[in-house]
Amino acid sequence: MYCEKKEECGLFGIFGDPEAVQKTYFGLFSLQHRGQESAGIASSDGESIQCYTGMGTVGRVFRTGSGILEKLANPIAIGHVRYSTMGSSKIENSQPFFVEYSRGQVAMAHNGNLINAGLLRDEYEAYGSIFKSTTDTEIIAHLLAKPSHMSKPDPLAHVLNHLQGSYCLLFLFNDRIEAARDPYGVRPLCIGQTENGHYMVASESCAIDTLGGKFIREVEPGEIVTLDKHGISSRFFVTPGVVTPAHCIFEHIYFAKQNSFIFGENVHEFRKKLGRKLAQENPAEADVVIPVPDSGTSAAIGFSQQSGIPFDMGLVRSHYVGRTFISPSQKLRELQVKLKLAVVKEVVKDRRVVVVDDSIVRGTTTKGKIMAIRQAGAKEIHMRVSCPPLRHPCFYGVDFPTREELVAHNKTLEQIKEFLGVESVGYMSLEGLLSCAVLPADHYCTACWCGKYKIPVDTAVNKFSLERYQLHMFDKWEQINE
Ligand code: SF4
């Protein structure tokens, strides 16, 4: 389905459970919102690793009757769902990424974006290394296999110190899982435990809940957690507290599932706080508040609670429409949007409507929804957005279009209002957004709104790799918008 911003990836791992592979399958299902381009599971019996990946959703890759899960059945497993932010959407780039090297076997699953991957790859290619994919994850395998790195007391910690950017990583070795989170803690990662006491690790706690497990805690920024026959153990590859975190607050606004607990709080509760703050900052005189489902729903509830304007479902999302990236014409793309989001005429007809969405990226999709609500008879439409205007690209793993394509890049609020065709438009302020969060304001990344990149982009990315990254982004959006 055409969408203006893309989730990145989802990770799941479990150690020592006789049903580890089946549980990974269900864990991935609950993380499907983080990526639908490919899915994969790698498992180990303690001595050797098997891996299977395919293109499409979890249900499609591991379809019933295929016998794939049965063949993978082992007590240690990791899984991955992918949306490609780096490297194109093809089977070679699907994960877990499995390699054999002189120390044995390893399968890796990555969520995030390594901003120095191009630089590192250039170095390795200059010495004759051959890469089989175009993902930034493969460079980690080369770093692990380098003899001078393998001889270090803690090779994995040593390798992680070479990476710059955002990363949550799962490594499946024959006898253990190692879970690591970058020193800034950009993406979420947590640990849980099954009813039978087996440890799990997941991008979001919703996967642990799905399996009836108990949430234990989040993996700390700069931490490596080992899941093995002794249980779990922890070590840090950077000194804790030295780096101020940069949690992606967009995870809270849009990416993460409402029942997940990330960055110290529940996503749904956070979004309701946003809605309440939004209503205080941008009140509207209206008869009904409707969300753009699903990610705008919690904020719309908060807006309604604060303003006293009744909440209703004026837009209904179809969950049965698959993703179609390349559509032959604008007309067909509009049909796809209509198929995905239908207006409930009875809710909006002859009424003054507040529409709450989590964000506006290029604005064209929002404009389409506004037109549909107007055609259904709305008297007035007041657009309210639970984050500030997006003005800068993300280098940490979120696939926004180029800066020039962002609707707020060079438009005033008045021009955005005209462009969307609404009576009023109101965005959340950055201060308002940060005031809703439980952690201190400087613990979040807000670069796509303010342009201040906490993980230095210019020092970490050489000119060539930056161009490579930007070209990739451009290609991606060309492909989506063809
Ligand atoms: S730039 Fe925006 S989307 Fe990217 S990590 Fe920072 S807050 Fe998240």
Side-chain angles (χ1 to χ4, degrees):
M1 177 63 201
Y2 173 72
C3 176
E4 288 197 307
K5 51 198 177 300
K6 305 294 180 187
E7 302 89 339
E8 333 93 69
C9 298
L11 313 178
F12 184 85
I14 180 167
F15 183 90
D17 191 312
E19 295 180 328
V21 169
Q22 283 81 1
K23 286 182 176 161
T24 301
Y25 170 76
F26 285 115
L28 291 182
F29 249 114
S30 67
L31 296 169
Q32 189 78 84
H33 58 286
R34 297 186 70 86
Q36 300 97 41
E37 286 188 10
S38 67
I41 295 175
S43 68
S44 172
D45 58 4
E47 290 180 359
S48 67
I49 293 172
Q50 301 177 68
C51 187
Y52 186 87
T53 66
M55 300 305 291
T57 56
V58 179
R60 187 169 169 191
V61 173
F62 299 101
R63 60 202 174 279
T64 311
S66 65
I68 298 165
L69 291 178
E70 289 74 12
K71 284 183 195 143
L72 286 172
N74 280 313
I76 316 170
I78 64 168
H80 186 266
V81 287
R82 177 168 194 259
Y83 175 75
S84 57
T85 53
M86 193 68 169
S88 50
S89 179
K90 55 183 183 179
I91 188 71
E92 294 85 349
N93 291 344
S94 58
Q95 295 187 19
F97 192 86
F98 174 67
V99 290
E100 301 206 27
Y101 68 123
S102 59
R103 284 272 173 103
Q105 301 176 313
V106 61
M108 294 176 294
H110 175 205
N111 172 206
N113 192 59
L114 302 180
I115 52 180
N116 64 336
L119 188 66
L120 291 167
R121 186 169 171 145
D122 295 345
E123 284 173 23
Y124 276 78
E125 282 177 340
Y127 284 98
S129 293
I130 294 167
F131 287 76
K132 67 177 187 179
S133 77
T134 55
T135 64
D136 51 351
T137 314
E138 188 175 1
I139 190 67
I140 304 167
H142 286 264
L143 289 165
L144 271 175
K146 192 173 178 178
S148 63
H149 293 168
M150 285 193 295
S151 61
K152 298 287 176 196
D154 187 341
L156 183 57
H158 182 77
V159 163
L160 293 174
N161 272 303
H162 284 73
L163 307 179
Q164 287 174 300
S166 66
Y167 54 89
C168 285
L169 287 160
L170 297 186
F171 297 87
L172 173 66
F173 295 98
N174 292 349
D175 59 346
R176 68 191 187 284
I177 295 169
E178 304 262 21
R181 193 170 175 211
D182 72 68
Y184 291 85
V186 179
R187 302 280 151 227
L189 190 66
C190 66
I191 309 163
Q193 201 170 17
T194 65
E195 280 179 343
N196 299 331
H198 303 295
Y199 285 101
M200 301 180 272
V201 58
S203 290
E204 292 181 38
S205 62
C206 62
I208 288 163
D209 291 344
T210 297
L211 293 164
K214 179 176 73 175
F215 172 84
I216 296 179
R217 67 172 175 90
E218 297 185 68
V219 175
E220 295 294 324
E223 184 183 18
I224 302 171
V225 174
T226 305
L227 286 66
D228 63 13
K229 63 182 180 187
H230 304 296
I232 55 169
S233 56
S234 157
R235 64 193 191 277
F236 283 84
F237 60 97
V238 291
T239 310
V242 166
V243 177
T244 306
H247 305 309
C248 170
I249 205 163
F250 220 91
E251 290 275 354
H252 259 314
I253 295 165
Y254 171 74
F255 296 126
K257 218 184 236 182
Q258 287 92 330
N259 60 326
S260 286
F261 182 94
I262 62 165
F263 311 151
E265 62 186 313
N266 168 255
V267 173
H268 172 63
E269 292 301 326
F270 180 86
R271 288 182 190 166
K272 278 201 299 186
K273 277 191 278 178
L274 287 184
R276 289 196 284 270
K277 190 77 187 167
L278 186 62
Q280 286 170 355
E281 289 189 350
N282 296 279
E285 300 239 326
D287 305 308
V288 66
V289 176
I290 68 167
V292 175
D294 296 321
S295 49
T297 304
S298 306
I301 291 171
F303 194 105
S304 167
Q305 287 172 343
Q306 180 68 34
S307 63
I309 303 168
F311 171 93
D312 211 335
M313 294 302 289
L315 289 167
V316 179
R317 180 176 291 274
S318 167
H319 292 273
Y320 306 103
V321 181
R323 284 167 64 117
T324 41
F325 265 78
I326 301 172
S327 300
S329 70
Q330 177 67 23
K331 191 108 191 116
L332 283 178
R333 279 203 300 275
E334 282 169 15
L335 278 178
Q336 284 173 12
V337 173
K338 276 191 180 165
L339 206 58
K340 186 89 180 176
L341 269 182
V343 182
V344 184
K345 287 193 192 109
E346 291 72 10
V347 171
V348 302
K349 192 168 182 321
D350 299 328
R351 300 176 95 180
R352 298 169 301 167
V353 181
V354 174
V355 181
V356 179
D357 205 350
D358 58 84
S359 57
I360 301 179
V361 184
R362 295 192 321 154
T364 44
T365 307
T366 306
K367 192 174 173 154
K369 292 168 201 161
I370 298 293
M371 272 171 61
I373 296 166
R374 186 80 72 188
Q375 283 164 5
K379 209 157 62 178
E380 291 177 16
I381 302 175
H382 302 275
M383 188 73 214
R384 295 294 180 267
V385 189
S386 64
C387 78
L390 290 161
R391 294 206 163 96
H392 304 274
C394 173
F395 292 101
Y396 310 143
V398 174
D399 203 358
F400 289 139
T402 58
R403 193 189 314 247
E404 289 67 31
E405 289 176 292
L406 295 169
V407 70
H409 169 62
N410 56 4
K411 283 191 177 66
T412 62
L413 213 54
E414 190 57 29
Q415 287 169 327
I416 295 172
K417 189 188 100 174
E418 294 299 318
F419 174 77
L420 296 177
V422 291
E423 273 66 28
S424 75
V425 61
Y427 284 90
M428 172 74 90
S429 69
L430 189 54
E431 298 70 33
L433 167 63
L434 291 167
S435 74
C436 294
V438 292
L439 299 176
D442 66 351
H443 281 41
Y444 296 93
C445 174
T446 54
C448 46
W449 299 291
C450 67
K452 291 180 190 150
Y453 295 91
K454 290 189 176 183
I455 308 175
V457 174
D458 47 350
T459 54
V461 186
N462 70 351
K463 188 170 178 298
F464 177 68
S465 55
L466 184 61
E467 280 170 5
R468 184 184 269 187
Y469 181 82
Q470 287 173 336
L471 276 173
H472 157 75
M473 286 301 190
F474 184 74
D475 286 349
K476 187 95 204 156
W477 283 93
E478 287 284 288
Q479 184 193 5
I480 292 167
N481 297 315
E482 251 171 36

